[in-house]
Amino acid sequence: TMPAVTICVTGAAGQIAYSLLPMLCGGRTFGPEQKIRLHLMDIPPALEALGGVKMELEDAAFPLLESVSLFTDAEEAFKGTDFCVMLGAFPRQKGMERKDLLQKNAGIFSAQGAALEKAGNKNVKIVVVGNPANTNCGILRACAPSVPAKNFSALTRLDHNRAHAQIALRTGSQLSDVKNVCIWGNHSSTQFPDISHGTVSGQSVSEKVADDEWLQGEFIKTVQTRGAAVIAARKLSSAMSAAIAISDHLHDWVLGSSEDDFVSMAVPSDGSYGIDEGIVYSFPVICKGGDYTIVQGLEISEFARNKMTVTLAELKEEMEQAKQFI
């Protein structure tokens, strides 16, 4: 049998974790044979609630779950972990400027980066979900220089899944028929959901949809603002779909993605497509053998390039602001 993998989840008493933990322990994420050890971390005021989550994980009697340990200290939590899912971040509050949000999170993620550097396994794979996710990932990476750049990622799989779903709905197709739609840039309302390489049952998305005005307008807006639409409807954030996207992201990264269908991951740029090196930017990728490769050689239209530049500018500005606080 395979040795157990240890997964640290921060913000583990929160909404997303509550949906995610069954997917980590039930075999959906790492496969039906892979045993799991959980390191659940949250802030001290949440420790009691976290104890309740631990009780439920015990009561769920997952055959794959070997152990659950609770932490409030990042260094302790990161020891010996193979994967870190960073859900914990400072939430944006009413009347709060984006700059204040960046400052709060720069504090959190620089401290966690230092803890990772000190205590973490250098082969740990990290996915940052807490917002602003791309920039939080960039800060974490800057503060944990001995962990390889390719081990850091931020979640844009939810945006990717949302984009695929919208195209399937619009064309009356099965989701499995939609391929190679992807997300460029920031996990924010500037992200660029790109259909220009996408197909539906082998036909190009633009031919199949046959409505460029919708594709270049409402489709993009819907995907960019879907999180806000869910909050407006549920009065709670999109925790279930976020958890599924995290599970998808990890599953593909570890077990590989389909060779004829891109997935989207925000990763430190290697300079591909003229995106400044080091900026954590969502790209179309293919995953294989525990690694991802940015899809190369895609033709970028002027429309696409403009959108890619807008989201890049936002990321550069966020990173500049955040650097003041590290």
Side-chain angles (χ1 to χ4, degrees):
T1 57
M2 297 189 279
V5 291
T6 302
I7 306 155
C8 176
V9 179
T10 74
Q15 276 260 86
I16 297 177
Y18 196 73
S19 284
L20 174 64
L21 293 169
M23 296 186 201
L24 296 179
C25 302
R28 182 189 193 274
T29 308
F30 298 104
E33 307 288 306
Q34 181 61 66
K35 297 264 190 189
I36 302 291
R37 294 190 184 125
L38 288 176
H39 285 194
L40 305 183
M41 178 180 139
D42 216 314
I43 55 176
L47 191 58
E48 192 182 355
L50 198 55
V53 173
K54 183 182 183 194
M55 287 184 218
E56 284 205 73
L57 286 166
E58 290 164 356
D59 300 347
F62 289 107
L64 294 174
L65 181 58
E66 278 194 1
S67 64
V68 181
S69 313
L70 308 185
F71 300 91
T72 55
D73 177 81
E75 247 178 73
E76 293 296 312
F78 294 156
K79 264 188 197 136
T81 55
D82 300 294
F83 300 94
C84 270
V85 182
M86 306 287 204
L87 305 177
F90 194 89
R92 190 169 191 168
Q93 290 162 344
K94 231 186 165 76
M96 195 175 176
E97 293 287 327
R98 196 167 172 91
K99 193 172 83 226
D100 304 332
L101 185 71
L102 282 167
Q103 179 169 5
K104 287 274 192 223
N105 282 295
I108 294 170
F109 281 85
S110 53
Q112 293 193 343
L116 201 60
E117 180 67 13
K118 204 166 165 190
N121 154 18
K122 299 308 176 230
N123 297 315
V124 64
K125 284 182 160 70
I126 298 144
V127 53
V128 178
V129 181
N131 283 318
N134 298 53
T135 297
N136 287 344
C137 181
I139 293 163
L140 193 72
R141 187 194 157 205
C143 298
S146 66
V147 177
K150 69 178 176 57
N151 290 21
F152 291 90
S153 68
L155 187 76
T156 53
R157 183 59 175 265
L158 178 53
D159 309 300
H160 174 98
N161 288 350
R162 285 166 171 164
H164 277 240
Q166 289 303 313
I167 296 299
L169 287 166
R170 181 76 177 192
T171 56
S173 310
Q174 295 298 309
L175 257 172
S176 53
D177 295 333
V178 181
K179 295 205 181 336
N180 296 339
V181 173
C182 66
I183 305 293
W184 299 94
N186 200 359
H187 173 64
S188 75
S189 59
T190 66
Q191 63 173 268
F192 173 43
D194 182 12
I195 55 90
S196 51
H197 315 284
T199 58
V200 181
S201 305
Q203 190 180 8
S204 80
V205 169
S206 56
E207 276 175 28
K208 186 83 174 169
V209 171
D211 185 345
D212 284 350
E213 197 183 332
W214 182 80
L215 283 171
Q216 297 192 351
E218 199 186 325
F219 162 69
I220 291 175
K221 196 95 213 113
T222 299
V223 177
Q224 287 174 334
T225 59
R226 186 70 161 183
V230 172
I231 290 176
R234 281 192 80 224
K235 313 296 176 260
L236 292 164
S237 71
S238 46
M240 175 178 60
S241 49
I244 288 173
I246 296 161
S247 173
D248 289 346
H249 175 110
L250 288 168
H251 173 280
D252 290 353
W253 198 359
V254 175
L255 299 173
S257 63
S258 158
E259 288 188 15
D260 65 346
D261 190 13
F262 314 154
V263 293
S264 301
M265 290 173 71
V267 296
S269 174
D270 59 0
S272 292
Y273 297 100
I275 304 304
D276 307 43
E277 209 167 314
I279 290 279
V280 178
Y281 193 95
S282 182
F283 290 96
V285 304
I286 302 277
C287 299
K288 195 178 178 177
D291 219 339
Y292 67 81
T293 310
I294 295 172
V295 176
Q296 296 298 330
L298 296 174
E299 214 169 295
I300 306 294
S301 69
E302 195 182 341
F303 176 82
R305 178 55 71 185
N306 288 338
K307 297 274 186 217
M308 287 164 71
T309 304
V310 167
T311 192
L312 175 62
E314 181 184 59
L315 280 167
K316 285 165 79 166
E317 188 188 347
E318 279 185 18
M319 210 51 203
E320 277 313 302
Q321 285 184 337
K323 276 185 181 144
Q324 309 164 35
F325 307 122
I326 309 180

